[in-house]
Amino acid sequence: MIKTLTFLGIESSCDDTAAAIVRNSSSQGPEILSSVVDGQTAIHAAFGGVVPELAARAHAERIDHCIEKALSKAHLSFADLDAIAVTAGPGLIGGVLSGVMCAKGLSAALGLPLIGVNHLAGHALTPRLTDGLAFPYIMLLVSGGHCQFLYVEQADLFTRLGASIDDAPGEAFDKIAKILGLAQPGGPEVERVAQSGDPKRFALPRPLLDRAGCDMSFSGLKTAVLRLRNSLVTTQGGLTLQDRADICAGFQAAVTDVLAEKSRRALALLPNVTNFAVAGGVAANGPIRAALKELCDRKTVGFLAPPLALCTDNAAMIAWAGLERYALGYRDDLTLSARPRWPLDVTSPALLGSGKKGAKA
Ligand code: KG4
Ligand code: ZN
């Protein structure tokens, strides 16, 4: 008998309010019926970063509209849903709470099962939603708040192979843009400006390449760029357009080298794994994507990068992770709590940096 399940997903852990409907049928696999993302970039732009209180308030104000929109785009009503999946962490607590309270209300009012989802699991399981990728695989999650290699064996079994011990690369891209007076978010701007730059003009560090393993660090690289800018300003009185382009190109090349080398080591740890996937906003970067693809081609490992809209924060990945958890028998109830910290791999020691900041995932 063909079994079909239709889940509402809700995401509100950082600065995107999102709702989506995903349907999974035992005969046809998953289908995203709608995915609505209401970003808050404009709200936080003047502050140079996400302001948690403003984010929480915006989520609370927008979440029901996002859900209505997701239902109407899918041409469905609440009566067509089988369960509610919601990000229960990690993230900014006020935002996560907005989503969890909304999901609990809907679950109680509609009598539907409630599934709390780890936001990072949402990212890590996305290649299964988009490409039907089979377990196991290695995932590099690389965004504005997170940077880690995960060995994904099941929808509830993740092993962290390595992670950034300080900043995430997206955060570093954003700070470099700020240092150079470029617009936010910094990643796409730095990539654009780097196109006319010489990556070899300035010698920038490749942190932690001299240390074994897959852990990474990007804060020293950021400081090196700050020092470089300051010394150019002192000696020349300012930066030329070419200086800016060369700094962006040098920085991007350093991040690319670190991510590619650490990815090579992650693959070497698990030689029998045949697929490598990336997710997170930084996966949108052309040279980084190309370097990772080239590495995988060389190792004859499959390379998967979900479409950008599903690489960055969205609720379709939460609905899908909810469907995967539901299939494994997980159910939550009204005692579900919002968790600012929620490591996917509880057996790995906590790191001070990425993954503990919780602002973004
Ligand atoms: O996954 P995401 O939308 O949000 C979270 O961080 O959760 O990622 C956003 C981050 C920002 O730091 C942004 O600067 C970075 O991804 N990013 C990029 C590019 N596009 C976005 N970084 C480098 N190159 C890009 N093309
Ligand atoms: Zn995220």
Side-chain angles (χ1 to χ4, degrees):
M1 195 183 75
I2 295 171
K3 206 170 162 209
T4 300
L5 287 171
T6 307
F7 275 34
L8 167 67
I10 299 175
E11 157 63 34
S12 58
S13 64
C14 185
D15 58 352
D16 290 303
T17 315
I21 315 283
V22 176
R23 176 167 283 168
N24 194 29
S25 129
S26 54
S27 61
Q28 287 172 328
E31 188 188 353
I32 301 171
L33 301 184
S34 64
S35 178
V36 176
V37 180
D38 193 355
Q40 301 178 2
T41 309
I43 294 178
H44 306 287
F47 303 95
V50 179
V51 183
E53 271 308 314
L54 294 181
R57 189 169 304 195
H59 285 306
E61 283 167 2
R62 295 165 177 214
I63 216 152
D64 47 350
H65 299 295
C66 280
I67 293 169
E68 272 175 0
K69 227 191 248 178
L71 281 169
S72 106
K73 280 192 171 181
H75 306 292
L76 296 179
S77 70
F78 282 125
D80 300 305
L81 298 176
D82 293 300
I84 318 276
V86 62
T87 299
L92 296 171
I93 189 65
V96 180
L97 260 176
S98 302
V100 167
M101 296 310 287
C102 175
K104 282 185 186 177
L106 286 174
S107 161
L110 302 168
L112 292 176
L114 175 69
I115 320 284
V117 168
N118 184 308
H119 177 91
L120 302 175
H123 280 302
L125 297 171
T126 299
R128 294 174 49 72
L129 166 65
T130 55
D131 295 86
L133 184 59
F135 296 122
Y137 54 92
I138 295 175
M139 150 74 52
L140 168 59
L141 176 52
V142 63
S143 73
H146 280 272
C147 181
Q148 50 185 290
F149 290 104
L150 293 165
Y151 178 43
V152 187
E153 287 179 271
Q154 289 173 35
D156 62 349
L157 183 55
F158 306 88
T159 308
R160 198 184 69 207
L161 305 172
S164 172
I165 58 168
D166 42 53
D167 292 354
E171 190 182 355
F173 267 98
D174 293 339
K175 289 206 176 129
I176 298 312
K178 206 169 166 194
I179 290 169
L180 298 177
L182 302 173
Q184 296 292 326
E189 275 296 283
V190 171
E191 180 177 2
R192 184 182 61 77
V193 173
Q195 277 169 6
S196 47
D198 171 7
K200 297 219 163 76
R201 176 170 158 209
F202 300 114
L204 289 167
R206 269 72 175 152
L208 291 200
L209 283 197
D210 55 347
R211 196 195 286 182
C214 300
D215 284 344
M216 293 158 280
S217 160
F218 296 97
S219 126
L221 177 58
K222 192 184 67 194
T223 311
V225 171
L226 180 63
R227 287 218 186 92
L228 173 61
R229 185 211 57 179
N230 290 348
S231 91
L232 287 170
V233 169
T234 309
T235 52
Q236 305 176 170
L239 295 183
T240 65
L241 285 179
Q242 194 57 51
D243 292 337
R244 272 206 181 87
D246 293 343
I247 294 174
C248 286
F251 166 78
Q252 185 173 261
V255 175
T256 305
D257 284 354
V258 171
L259 289 176
E261 170 57 18
K262 296 289 177 168
S263 300
R264 189 191 65 74
R265 291 185 201 176
L267 285 169
L269 284 176
L270 296 159
N272 294 327
V273 169
T274 52
N275 283 297
F276 182 92
V278 282
V282 180
N285 184 281
I288 292 175
R289 225 184 235 253
L292 297 176
K293 165 123 186 31
E294 195 201 300
L295 167 76
C296 289
D297 288 351
R298 216 167 51 231
K299 302 272 169 204
T300 54
V301 164
F303 175 75
L304 268 121
L308 192 57
L310 294 170
C311 259
T312 54
D313 287 352
N314 67 88
M317 68 179 190
I318 302 305
W320 171 247
L323 277 154
E324 294 242 43
R325 277 182 82 73
Y326 188 85
L328 292 177
Y330 288 98
R331 307 285 185 275
D332 287 291
D333 58 26
L334 297 183
T335 61
L336 175 69
S337 38
R339 302 174 60 176
R341 309 265 179 258
W342 186 2
L344 266 185
D345 176 359
V346 284
T347 60
S348 287
L351 285 175
L352 281 178
S354 182
K356 287 206 82 191
K357 288 200 168 111
K360 287 189 154 200

